[in-house]
C-alpha cells in the first residue's frame, strides 16, 4: 500500500471450457508427446544426425526430424531439447571420429516404462530446464540463426518463468482457460506485476511456456489439466495415475491385410510398435497406425539378423487374422535372394609358392594389424 491506495493484482482474462474436455485434449497431446519422442530416438539411433562444432543440431537435421515426425519445426525443437535435458540423447564420435547425436542407455530403460510414467519424467525435466527451444530459428545478435541444442540457448530464469506461468493457470478454477486473444497478454501483465525487475524476455518466456505446455500435454485448450495440477504440486505418483486413466489402453495385435499392410486398431504396445517399425514402413499415424510391408522393409529385418522363420512366427503371433498369402510369399521371396551376392574390399594381395612362409606370415604377431585372410594355399589378401 502507498497511503490509502492499494495495488490491484492484475487478473487473467478467461473463458469457460468443460473440465473433462480440457483433460481429454491435454491427455491426447501427452500421448503424442511420448509416442513421438520414442520415434525421434528410434530414428536417431538408426541414422544419427551430425553434431555441429558448437555442439548444436544442424538446421537440415532439424527439418528432416520434423518431417519424419510430421511436426512443425518449433515442436520438433522442443522434443529434441527435452530429450537432451532428460539425458536420452548425447553426442558421441562415430566410426570416422565425427560427433553425432545418439540415444543413451537411459533410453533403453525409459522406453520400458508406462506411457504415463514416461510423460511425467519428460515434463518434470522440462519444468526445471533452463533451455529455451522457443529461440530456435530466430536470429542472434550476430544475425545467425539459433540452432537446437546450442549450448548458449539457456537462461537462468527460464524455470521460474515456466513455474510462475503455470502457477497462474493453476490458480484458475478447473474449466477456466485464458481467453483467446487477451489471455496470454494478461498472463504477461500478471508476471510483470509479480516480478517487475525482470523485463528482459518476460513476454517471450510466457508465450513459449504457454505454447510448449500445449504441445507437451500439460494444458488442453489453454487450461491446465487436472493431472498437471498434481505434477505442479510435486505429487508425481498421483499425476501418473490420473494421466494413465485418461490414456487409451495399448493393443498387442494388428490386422494384416492382403494389400501388404498392417492396421493397428489402437495405440500399440511399445515393444510391438518398435518391431513393426523395423519390418514395415509407417504409412500413417494416429490413434491407430497403418504399416506397409515391402521387400526393402523385410530386407531391413534380415540385415539385423532376423531369419525368415522368425519373421513368419512374429507375423503369426501379432495378427488377429491368418497371415495373408501375399505377405508370406513376400517374406520367402526376399529371404531367398538375401545374401546371395556379397561385395567386399581388399587393399592388396600376397602370393607365394611357399605355403609354409605364407602361413607363418599370416600368424606372425607383427602382421596382426594388416588384417590378412587366406583365399587359397598360396594367396593372402
Amino acid at each position: 500500500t502507498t497511503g490509502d491506495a492499494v495495488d490491484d493484482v492484475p487478473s487473467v482474462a478467461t473463458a469457460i471450457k468443460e473440465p473433462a474436455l480440457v483433460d481429454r485434449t491435454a491427455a491426447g497431446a501427452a500421448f503424442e508427446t511420448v509416442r513421438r519422442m520414442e520415434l525421434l530416438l528410434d530414428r536417431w539411433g538408426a541414422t544419427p544426425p551430425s553434431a555441429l562444432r558448437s555442439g548444436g543440431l544442424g538446421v537440415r537435421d532439424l527439418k528432416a526430424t520434423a518431417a519424419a515426425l510430421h511436426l512443425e519445426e518449433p515442436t520438433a525443437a522442443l522434443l529434441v531439447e527435452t530429450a537432451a535435458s532428460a539425458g536420452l540423447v548425447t553426442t558421441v564420435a562415430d566410426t570416422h571420429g565425427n560427433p553425432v547425436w545418439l540415444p543413451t542407455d537411459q533410453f533403453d530403460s525409459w522406453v520400458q516404462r508406462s506411457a504415463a510414467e514416461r510423460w511425467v519424467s519428460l515434463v518434470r525435466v522440462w519444468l526445471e530446464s533452463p533451455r529455451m527451444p522457443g529461440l530456435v530459428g530466430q536470429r542472434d545478435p550476430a544475425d545467425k540463426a539459433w540452432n537446437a541444442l546450442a549450448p548458449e540457448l539457456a537462461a537462468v530464469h527460464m524455470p521460474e518463468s515456466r513455474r510462475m506461468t503455470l502457477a497462474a493457470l493453476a490458480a484458475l478454477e478447473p474449466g477456466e482457460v485464458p481467453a483467446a486473444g487477451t489471455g496470454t497478454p494478461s498472463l504477461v501483465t500478471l508476471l510483470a506485476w509479480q516480478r517487475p525487475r525482470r523485463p528482459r524476455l518476460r513476454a517471450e518466456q510466457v508465450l513459449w511456456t504457454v505454447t510448449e505446455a500445449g504441445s507437451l500435454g500439460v494444458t488442453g485448450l489453454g487450461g491446465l489439466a487436472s493431472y498437471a495440477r498434481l505434477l505442479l504440486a510435486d505429487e508425481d505418483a498421483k499425476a501418473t495415475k490420473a494421466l494413465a486413466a485418461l490414456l487409451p489402453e495399448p493393443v498387442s495385435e494388428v490386422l494384416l491385410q492382403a494389400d501388404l499392410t498392417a492396421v493397428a486398431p489402437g495405440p500399440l504396445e511399445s515393444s510391438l510398435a518398435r518391431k513393426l517399425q523395423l519390418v514395415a514402413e509407417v504409412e500413417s499415424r494416429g490413434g491407430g497406425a497403418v504399416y506397409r510391408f515391402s521387400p526393402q522393409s523385410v530386407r531391413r529385418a534380415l540385415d539385423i539378423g532376423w531369419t525368415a522363420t522368425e519373421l513368419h512366427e512374429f507375423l503369426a503371433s501379432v495378427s488377429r487374422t491368418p497371415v495373408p498369402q501375399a505377405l508370406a510369399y513376400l517374406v520367402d521371396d526376399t529371404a531367398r535372394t538375401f545374401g546371395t551376392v556379397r561385395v567386399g574390399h581388399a587393399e592388396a594381395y600376397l602370393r607365394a609358392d611357399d605355403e609354409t612362409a605364407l602361413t607363418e606370415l599370416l600368424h606372425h604377431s607383427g602382421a596382426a594389424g594388416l588384417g590378412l585372410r587366406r583365399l587359397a594355399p598360396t594367396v593372402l589378401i
Side-chain angles (χ1 to χ4, degrees):
T1 62
T2 303
D4 295 329
V6 178
D7 288 339
D8 291 329
V9 178
S11 60
V12 179
T14 61
I16 301 300
K17 300 289 183 181
E18 178 63 38
L21 181 59
V22 170
D23 277 357
R24 289 198 300 271
T25 304
F31 178 79
E32 285 298 305
T33 294
V34 172
R35 186 176 66 85
R36 285 195 163 104
M37 181 65 80
E38 188 174 336
L39 292 173
L40 164 69
L41 297 174
D42 277 337
R43 174 182 172 82
W44 282 17
T47 55
S50 300
L52 302 177
R53 261 185 262 176
S54 63
L57 179 70
V59 174
R60 289 184 180 179
D61 287 318
L62 179 62
K63 286 181 180 293
T65 298
L69 300 181
H70 302 282
L71 290 173
E72 297 294 329
E73 287 182 40
T75 308
L78 171 62
L79 283 184
V80 166
E81 288 282 352
T82 304
S85 297
L88 297 176
V89 295
T90 190
T91 52
V92 298
D94 64 9
T95 54
H96 302 290
N98 301 315
V100 295
W101 289 99
L102 268 178
T104 65
D105 293 342
Q106 290 187 44
F107 173 54
D108 296 327
S109 56
W110 178 82
V111 80
Q112 299 300 324
R113 301 158 70 183
S114 71
E117 289 175 320
R118 282 181 273 169
W119 182 85
V120 167
S121 69
L122 292 176
V123 174
R124 176 62 64 197
V125 167
W126 170 74
L127 283 172
E128 306 302 333
S129 172
R131 304 292 298 170
M132 297 185 293
L135 274 179
V136 174
Q138 297 188 31
R139 297 284 172 175
D140 64 11
D143 200 35
K144 294 182 179 180
W146 288 106
N147 292 96
L149 302 177
E152 303 84 6
L153 220 66
V156 67
H157 297 305
M158 192 66 225
E160 184 186 53
S161 294
R162 285 198 187 100
R163 285 279 187 175
M164 291 180 66
T165 302
L166 296 177
L169 295 178
L172 302 177
E173 294 295 323
E176 267 193 299
V177 303
T182 57
T184 301
S186 65
L187 276 172
V188 173
T189 301
L190 175 59
L191 264 67
W193 182 85
Q194 293 172 337
R195 292 290 189 275
R197 296 189 178 183
R198 291 185 187 164
R200 184 175 180 272
L201 290 180
R202 181 190 295 115
E204 291 92 337
Q205 290 180 350
V206 173
L207 178 60
W208 296 336
T209 299
V210 170
T211 303
E212 292 169 12
S215 297
L216 293 173
V218 177
T219 61
L221 303 176
L224 199 65
S226 58
Y227 55 84
R229 292 175 184 268
L230 295 170
L231 187 67
L232 291 176
D234 295 326
E235 298 185 52
D236 290 13
K238 291 183 179 180
T240 301
K241 185 176 180 180
L243 174 58
L246 293 167
L247 296 179
E249 285 292 328
V251 298
S252 58
E253 291 180 316
V254 296
L255 303 173
L256 295 180
Q257 310 289 318
D259 63 351
L260 300 180
T261 60
V263 179
L268 293 176
E269 290 181 348
S270 178
S271 60
L272 174 55
R274 291 164 67 82
K275 289 179 180 178
L276 268 179
Q277 289 166 33
L278 174 65
V279 301
E281 306 294 348
V282 181
E283 196 166 73
S284 67
R285 306 183 190 277
V290 177
Y291 299 81
R292 179 168 295 279
F293 298 91
S294 67
Q296 293 76 20
S297 67
V298 173
R299 181 173 292 275
R300 185 170 60 224
L302 297 172
D303 281 338
I304 69 162
W306 286 40
T307 64
T309 300
E310 289 172 334
L311 277 169
H312 284 302
E313 290 175 349
F314 168 70
L315 294 173
S317 68
V318 301
S319 179
R320 289 185 180 178
T321 55
V323 177
Q325 192 176 52
L327 181 54
Y329 285 168
L330 173 65
V331 172
D332 288 337
D333 290 345
T334 305
R336 190 176 301 115
T337 60
F338 178 76
T340 55
V341 177
R342 292 173 182 258
V343 177
H345 178 68
E347 291 288 349
Y349 71 90
L350 293 88
R351 192 179 69 181
D353 293 332
D354 188 344
E355 297 179 19
T356 304
L358 281 186
T359 300
E360 182 178 351
L361 179 60
L362 179 64
H363 298 290
H364 195 286
S365 59
L370 299 179
L372 295 176
R373 283 194 300 123
R374 183 165 233 145
L375 291 188
T378 59
V379 179
L380 300 181
I381 61 169

